[in-house]
């Protein structure tokens, strides 16, 4: 699959559909249909000739593409997920950190109880009885604010119970400060815990040193045992930030899985406030090749009935199977917001202290007008070159923060990865048609 990226660069991608093997993806609806070999060959030729030629061929197959009109009005949803940036400081000094070392470019600070309490109140009070919300504890390094996290969970559970609102919790951590008591607390409250790691010891220590320049891998490895001991009640996974220095992803995934992680997800570094660690140019071709190699290992294991830790392919296969076309890449500003230590709302945790994603404050509540304007401007129907890209409804236009700060250097990579995902979807459904039913 290493030739996918250059092939996709030869022509502007069609806006109507995309053929991957014997499957065709309808770009606007995200629906997937099976084709015969002859049908696939004819449609591929038509798509290469352009949308004007492709449209009649699609109609002949009974797959007439919808006529695109004006972008629909974007509705602002009730907030259902809230990131509490409980600590705007960190004990590590990762050079690429989107939070600029944890402080988001300002002074080191922590959220006070008054801010956390008001944020929780606004979240739960705006939720109808019988509904559910999620609270994510973020940083910086959130475990610096351990007591605030525990108090927030206790309070949110009480407030939720009083309004018949169920509250779920998650935490993203560097793992260096986790104790056995913390792990037991997370298990008791059914946390989803994501540990940030970038590879084995040599790689991780280079990319994720502490403020004194010492490596962090050994400390993480020592503190994982309590989390792993509660895997039946903690949804535990590792997240890798991919930079030019850890592109050997098969080795990275293997090294992290060896620590006991059953799930390892990778995410490319595209926008770095320091300018360090961002992928550029041919890095994306190498990334696609490495992710495809991991995907093949996952596919081999899955077809043989074994587990495999690489999470990215399972994620994209699930999204393809659901077939829900996206107008945005994620829920930022729509039904997900972040609150920082000073009580300001932002579109997500990556927009903390960024005026491009400012969404009100606790004094006045989330700014509905700002959220609507942000979502309307960022919808995939308004983005260039998204309107003519076959992957638009799968990608949703990408990460808002990355696009606003770094543009779109990864579009060919994204198309290459989704093309591989479509082909893998065809292989898996042909070999194990009931696999997706078993995942529910």
């Amino acid at each position: 699959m290493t030739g996918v990226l250059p092939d996709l660069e030869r022509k502007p991608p069609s806006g109507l559909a995309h053929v991957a093997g014997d499957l065709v993806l309808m770009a606007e609806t995200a629906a997937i249909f099976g084709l015969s070999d002859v049908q696939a060959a004819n449609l591929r030729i038509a798509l290469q000739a352009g949308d004007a030629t492709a449209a009649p061929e699609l109609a002949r197959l009974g797959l007439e593409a919808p006529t695109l009109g004006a972008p629909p009005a974007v509705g602002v949803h009730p907030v259902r997920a809230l990131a509490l940036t409980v600590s705007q400081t960190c004990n590590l000094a990762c050079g690429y950190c989107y939070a600029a070392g944890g402080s988001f470019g300002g002074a080191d600070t922590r959220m006070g109880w008054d801010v956390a309490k008001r944020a929780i109140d606004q979240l739960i009070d705006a939720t109808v009885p019988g509904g559910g919300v999620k609270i994510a504890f973020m940083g910086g390094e959130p475990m610096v604010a351990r007591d605030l996290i525990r108090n927030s969970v206790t309070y949110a559970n009480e407030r939720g119970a009083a309004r018949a609102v169920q509250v779920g919790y998650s935490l993203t951590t560097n793992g260096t400060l986790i104790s056995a008591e913390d792990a037991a607390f997370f298990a008791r409250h059914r946390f989803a815990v994501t540990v940030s790691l970038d590879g084995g010891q040599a790689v991780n220590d280079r990319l994720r040193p502490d403020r004194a320049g010492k490596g962090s891998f050994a400390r993480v490895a020592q503190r994982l045992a309590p989390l792993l001991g509660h895997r039946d009640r903690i949804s535990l996974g590792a997240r890798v930030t991919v930079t030019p220095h850890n592109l050997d992803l098969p080795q990275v995934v293997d090294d992290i899985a060896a620590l006991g992680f059953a799930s390892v997800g990778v995410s490319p570094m595209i926008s770095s406030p320091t300018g360090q660690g961002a992928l550029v140019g041919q890095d994306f071709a190498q990334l696609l090749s490495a992710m495809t190699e991991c995907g093949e290992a996952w596919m081999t294991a899955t077809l043989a009935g074994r587990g495999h830790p690489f999470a990215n392919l399972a994620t994209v296969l699930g999204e393809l199977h659901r077939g829900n076309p996206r107008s945005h890449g994620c829920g930022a500003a729509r039904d997900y917001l972040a609150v920082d230590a000073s009580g300001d709302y932002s579109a997500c945790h990556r927009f903390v202290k960024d005026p491009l994603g400012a969404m009100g404050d606790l004094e006045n509540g989330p700014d509905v007008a700002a959220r609507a304007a942000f979502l309307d401007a960022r919808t995939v129907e308004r983005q260039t070159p998204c309107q003519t890209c076959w992957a638009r409804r799968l990608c949703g236009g990408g990460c808002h923060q990355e696009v606003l700060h770094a543009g779109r250097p990864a579009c060919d990579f994204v198309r290459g990865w989704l093309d591989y995902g479509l082909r893998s979807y065809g292989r898996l459904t042909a070999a194990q048609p009931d696999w997706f039913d078993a995942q529910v």
Side-chain angles (χ1 to χ4, degrees):
M1 294 299 296
T2 56
V4 168
L5 188 60
D7 287 344
L8 292 172
E9 289 177 334
R10 289 182 190 142
K11 288 179 65 64
S14 169
L16 292 182
H18 176 70
V19 179
D22 59 354
L23 299 179
V24 58
L25 169 79
M26 299 301 294
E28 189 61 17
T29 62
I32 301 171
F33 298 92
L35 302 174
S36 70
D37 291 343
V38 172
Q39 289 171 332
N42 290 339
L43 183 54
R44 187 176 288 108
I45 292 170
L47 288 168
Q48 286 292 317
D51 286 352
T53 302
E57 182 64 21
L58 285 167
R60 193 178 68 80
L61 293 170
L63 301 175
E64 190 166 0
T67 301
L68 301 184
V74 174
V76 173
H77 297 229
V79 177
R80 291 293 174 262
L82 185 68
L84 294 181
T85 310
V86 293
S87 170
Q88 289 172 216
T89 184
C90 187
N91 60 327
L92 298 188
C94 309
Y96 58 73
C97 179
Y98 73 83
S103 66
F104 297 89
D108 287 0
T109 186
R110 302 183 193 182
M111 181 178 287
W113 171 240
D114 58 329
V115 172
K117 180 178 180 295
R118 291 179 71 183
I120 293 167
D121 284 340
Q122 289 188 9
L123 175 67
I124 293 177
D125 287 348
T127 304
V128 297
V133 295
K134 295 185 181 299
I135 296 175
F137 296 101
M138 307 288 292
E141 171 46 45
M143 291 311 299
V144 170
R146 175 183 284 106
D147 290 343
L148 181 63
I149 292 173
R150 296 190 181 191
N151 291 337
S152 295
V153 170
T154 299
Y155 182 72
N157 284 343
E158 293 172 352
R159 290 285 289 113
R163 282 187 54 82
V165 172
Q166 186 170 354
V167 187
Y169 302 100
S170 66
L171 173 89
T172 299
T173 175
N174 62 38
T176 62
L177 303 177
I178 300 293
S179 68
E181 292 78 12
D182 295 327
F185 178 83
F186 299 149
R188 189 158 60 250
H189 297 285
R190 300 282 180 172
F191 266 61
V193 176
T194 300
V195 179
S196 296
L197 283 164
D198 288 347
Q201 183 157 11
V203 171
N204 192 79
D205 285 352
R206 176 183 180 183
L207 293 173
R208 303 182 61 80
D210 65 18
R211 291 191 172 191
K214 297 180 180 179
S216 59
F217 183 88
R219 275 173 284 175
V220 178
Q222 290 168 3
R223 292 176 179 268
L224 280 177
L227 291 174
L228 292 169
H230 290 289
R231 276 185 296 191
D232 58 330
R233 290 181 293 162
I234 294 175
S235 177
L236 181 64
R239 180 190 184 278
V240 176
T241 298
V242 185
T243 74
H245 307 295
N246 61 338
L247 278 164
D248 185 2
L249 295 185
Q251 188 64 57
V252 165
V253 171
D254 285 349
D255 287 343
I256 295 176
L259 293 172
F261 287 97
S263 175
V264 181
V266 307
S267 181
M269 171 51 65
I270 294 174
S271 172
S272 167
T274 64
Q276 299 180 41
L279 300 173
V280 295
Q282 287 302 304
D283 291 337
F284 289 106
Q286 190 174 346
L287 172 63
L288 177 59
S289 178
M291 287 188 63
T292 301
E293 186 174 345
C294 291
E296 286 300 289
W298 182 94
M299 183 67 73
T300 298
T302 299
L303 292 177
R306 304 191 307 272
H308 190 278
F310 184 59
N312 293 63
L313 185 56
T315 298
V316 76
L317 290 174
E319 291 173 353
L320 290 170
H321 190 70
R322 284 188 291 273
N324 295 325
R326 296 181 177 183
S327 288
H328 300 94
C330 67
R334 186 187 67 226
D335 52 16
Y336 169 54
L337 294 175
V339 173
D340 66 20
S342 60
D344 291 328
Y345 282 106
S346 57
C348 78
H349 59 282
R350 294 194 64 171
F351 277 107
V352 168
K353 297 304 178 189
D354 184 341
L356 294 179
M359 296 293 153
D361 55 46
L362 287 172
E363 185 67 28
N364 301 293
D367 188 331
V368 174
R371 292 167 63 198
F374 180 92
L375 290 168
D376 185 64
R378 304 309 309 163
T379 188
V380 71
E381 292 92 344
R382 296 195 187 280
Q383 299 303 299
T384 301
C386 300
Q387 299 99 325
T388 58
C389 176
W390 62 262
R392 60 183 177 272
R393 291 301 199 173
L394 302 179
C395 163
C399 168
H400 301 308
Q401 194 269 350
E402 290 174 350
V403 170
L404 287 170
H405 286 280
R408 299 184 182 278
C411 287
D412 285 318
F413 156 73
V414 171
R415 282 189 287 266
W417 175 242
L418 290 172
D419 177 87
Y420 173 72
L422 284 162
R423 294 172 188 272
S424 299
Y425 181 78
R427 291 162 58 193
L428 185 58
T429 52
Q432 296 186 11
D434 297 331
W435 186 85
F436 290 96
D437 294 335
Q439 307 310 304
V440 177

